[in-house]
Amino acid sequence: MHDDDGPPPARDAHKRPRRSAPPRGASGDVGKASSVTSTVVQRRVDPRFDPMFGRADARMFEQNYGFLREAEAKEEEERRFRIKCLKCIIRRCELEEAGEDLDEYDLSDHEQEVFGADHARELREMKLTPPQQLYAELEQLQRASQLYVSKTRDASIKERRSRVRKELLRKEVMAVKSGTKARPYFPKRAEVKRAVAADTFSRLNEKGGKAAVDRYIIRKRKR
């Protein structure tokens, strides 16, 4: 042992210094602590994914939470009406900034037709609102409307793809039952994609004929 106040002992640079052994009972205490913590820590499982709750029912989910979709659709309807009103007032502001004669455009009748009798107060308030504020609100509402449209479009595409896939599986099961096939064939992603495209073409043909199909193909090619 050396004095704590004195200089450190001389050591060889090529030899590792010896480490002092831990006191007695330290390893045993560590083992006991680890065993205690291992018994205390428990694995937490989300009850929604517990097997006792069964499988998820999409139809029941739609029935229970369908009011959310209805509320979103109502909000989108109100948003579109507000966008239409904002565009009407912004057109008046642009004509005023350009120095045009407003009597030639008959804006009052058009504004009353757009707003209606129930929103006359809103029309007066929007006429007094600064144009910068109207532009900012219009941009915000248009962005929210685009997000809603893309969300609903994605949901409808997924639903249609699922419906087409179920129809393909149903045909396979019927073929097995009739004895045409020995076992059902599960369609691959490419086959489901072709079936979805065929379903899209048939729906467009029923609505707008060959012209609607051609417009759809041209729009897809531009993308």
Side-chain angles (χ1 to χ4, degrees):
M1 296 180 64
H2 65 280
D3 190 4
D4 294 338
D5 297 334
R11 294 176 180 173
D12 191 355
H14 299 283
K15 292 183 180 180
R16 181 180 299 176
R18 295 181 179 180
R19 295 183 179 180
S20 59
R24 294 182 179 180
S27 60
D29 295 340
V30 173
K32 291 179 181 179
S34 62
S35 63
V36 171
T37 55
S38 63
T39 56
V40 172
V41 175
Q42 296 180 357
R43 183 182 177 185
R44 297 180 179 179
V45 180
D46 194 336
R48 296 174 298 175
F49 302 102
D50 196 280
M52 66 178 294
F53 284 92
R55 301 179 63 181
D57 191 353
R59 183 177 300 177
M60 184 178 295
F61 179 83
E62 289 294 333
Q63 291 177 356
N64 294 336
Y65 295 95
F67 67 95
L68 295 177
R69 299 184 185 275
E70 295 176 359
E72 290 179 352
K74 186 177 180 180
E75 290 178 0
E76 176 63 16
E77 185 179 356
E78 295 175 354
R79 193 184 299 118
R80 287 183 178 275
F81 175 75
R82 182 71 176 180
I83 289 174
K84 190 176 181 180
C85 296
L86 286 170
K87 287 182 177 180
C88 184
I89 300 300
I90 287 174
R91 183 167 179 263
R92 171 184 284 272
C93 296
E94 291 176 349
L95 292 175
E96 289 178 353
E97 291 179 358
E100 298 288 341
D101 188 7
L102 301 181
D103 296 335
E104 297 180 359
Y105 294 92
D106 196 13
L107 296 178
S108 299
D109 295 340
H110 179 64
E111 290 170 354
Q112 291 178 2
E113 181 181 355
V114 171
F115 282 83
D118 299 335
H119 300 274
R121 181 179 178 182
E122 187 177 357
L123 173 60
R124 292 192 299 269
E125 292 178 354
M126 291 180 69
K127 285 182 179 179
L128 301 176
T129 306
Q132 293 79 8
Q133 187 174 349
L134 296 176
Y135 283 115
E137 185 180 359
L138 177 62
E139 184 180 358
Q140 182 180 2
L141 292 177
Q142 286 178 341
R143 190 183 302 112
S145 180
Q146 290 175 358
L147 290 175
Y148 173 79
V149 170
S150 62
K151 179 182 177 181
T152 53
R153 184 184 301 163
D154 293 342
S156 63
I157 290 174
K158 290 180 181 179
E159 183 179 357
R160 188 155 55 90
R161 186 184 294 115
S162 176
R163 178 174 54 81
V164 171
R165 188 174 184 275
K166 288 181 180 179
E167 182 65 21
L168 292 175
L169 291 174
R170 189 185 66 81
K171 291 180 180 179
E172 292 293 327
V173 172
M174 294 299 295
V176 172
K177 289 183 178 180
S178 62
T180 308
K181 291 185 177 181
R183 61 179 61 183
Y185 170 74
F186 293 93
K188 296 182 179 180
R189 185 179 299 177
E191 187 174 354
V192 175
K193 188 176 181 180
R194 288 194 296 268
V196 170
D199 181 70
T200 303
F201 291 152
S202 63
R203 289 190 305 105
L204 291 174
N205 192 15
E206 291 176 358
K207 290 183 178 180
K210 188 176 182 299
V213 177
D214 294 339
R215 287 195 299 269
Y216 175 78
I217 294 174
I218 293 173
R219 188 167 63 251
K220 293 289 286 185
R221 286 177 179 175
K222 288 182 179 179
R223 292 181 183 177

